[in-house]
Amino acid sequence: PVPTERFPAWRLLAYTQNHDQIGNRARGDRLAESLDDDQLLLGAMLMLGSPYTPMIFSGEEWAASTPFPYFSSHPEPELAQAVTEGRVREFARLGWDPDEVADPQDPATYRSAILRWDELETGRHAVVLAGYRELARLRHQLPELTNPDLRRVHCTVDEDARWITVERGDVLLAANLGDSAATIALTMDAYEVVWQTPTPVSLDDERLDLPRHAGAVLVRR
């Protein structure tokens, strides 16, 4: 959305996934099922570093392993059957195997969506959660990251190499969305890295080297 006087930037939401996008998939699979930890935290960095209000979907902040399939509890038999059969027909048109489409009326579909809070301190879940916490701390600490003035947001994109930088005052967000390493030239300014993805970046006075799927938050010295 484009901010207007009636709907300024702070009233617009930024997110990487939400209940509509995930719940309306055939299996309710989250991004964590398809993306690695670096990619998940790149999305978090761009979301929490944007001038918009970030919206974090339940469990996203620790790469929850549980899906979020669409579920319902219609007491009317005719409606319940129509919903179940309708979703099978809908996803069949998109090439899904009917056996993969979660039955919204099956209690097991609902139970599969219940978050597993015991995941937070283990494996990749702890890694992603630590990244989200640090990014949230930086958003609170660096006033540039909560400034809704889009005139102070400057982006540079290399569509071939698939990297993007977002400059917000003295803060620079750099993300390599590609599957190959990327190098970004830094001219005139000296920066320090205050946050980076689990796969670390390399910085000197003139360049920032980003492995595949890696990214960083830099602050001008």
Side-chain angles (χ1 to χ4, degrees):
V2 177
T4 64
E5 184 175 343
R6 183 179 179 186
F7 293 101
W10 64 266
R11 291 187 63 181
L12 299 178
L13 299 177
Y15 52 85
T16 61
Q17 54 189 312
N18 62 38
H19 66 285
D20 283 324
Q21 292 172 324
I22 304 303
N24 284 313
R25 291 178 61 79
R27 295 191 295 105
D29 48 315
R30 297 167 177 263
L31 288 180
E33 187 173 322
S34 305
L35 303 182
D36 61 35
D37 297 352
D38 288 325
Q39 290 172 308
L40 292 176
L41 286 170
L42 275 188
M45 180 189 74
L46 294 173
M47 172 181 64
L48 289 163
S50 80
Y52 307 117
T53 300
M55 183 176 72
I56 299 175
F57 177 52
S58 176
E60 169 189 345
E61 68 273 30
W62 76 79
S65 67
T66 49
F68 189 78
Y70 175 77
F71 53 84
S72 58
S73 59
H74 300 296
E76 305 87 351
E78 299 84 359
L79 179 57
Q81 182 178 353
V83 170
T84 295
E85 294 177 352
R87 286 185 65 81
V88 170
R89 287 195 303 271
E90 175 186 357
F91 287 108
R93 291 197 297 267
L94 299 175
W96 284 88
D97 183 335
D99 292 335
E100 291 191 83
V101 181
D103 180 356
Q105 285 290 125
D106 186 343
T109 299
Y110 160 72
R111 288 194 295 269
S112 73
I114 297 175
L115 293 172
R116 294 180 51 191
W117 295 94
D118 59 329
E119 292 181 334
L120 273 67
E121 299 179 358
T122 62
R124 70 179 308 207
H125 311 292
V127 171
V128 173
L129 181 59
Y132 267 82
R133 283 174 168 165
E134 184 63 12
L135 287 167
R137 184 190 68 79
L138 287 174
R139 184 176 174 87
H140 179 73
Q141 175 184 321
L142 302 173
E144 292 94 332
L145 296 183
T146 52
N147 185 348
D149 187 352
L150 294 184
R151 294 170 298 183
R152 293 184 57 81
V153 179
H154 304 282
C155 298
T156 303
V157 176
D158 187 320
E159 294 186 1
D160 294 326
R162 299 197 65 209
W163 59 257
I164 180 173
T165 63
V166 182
E167 184 177 0
R168 306 194 61 196
D170 289 332
V171 179
L172 183 71
L173 312 177
N176 179 9
L177 305 175
D179 292 327
S180 301
T183 296
I184 300 174
L186 301 175
T187 59
M188 299 175 59
D189 296 308
Y191 289 92
E192 62 177 324
V193 175
V194 296
W195 180 91
Q196 57 188 319
T197 48
T199 299
V201 305
S202 177
L203 172 70
D204 64 27
D205 290 338
E206 298 182 351
R207 56 187 280 174
L208 174 66
D209 292 318
L210 299 170
R212 66 189 296 269
H213 304 166
V217 179
L218 292 76
V219 174
R220 188 178 286 112
R221 293 201 296 260

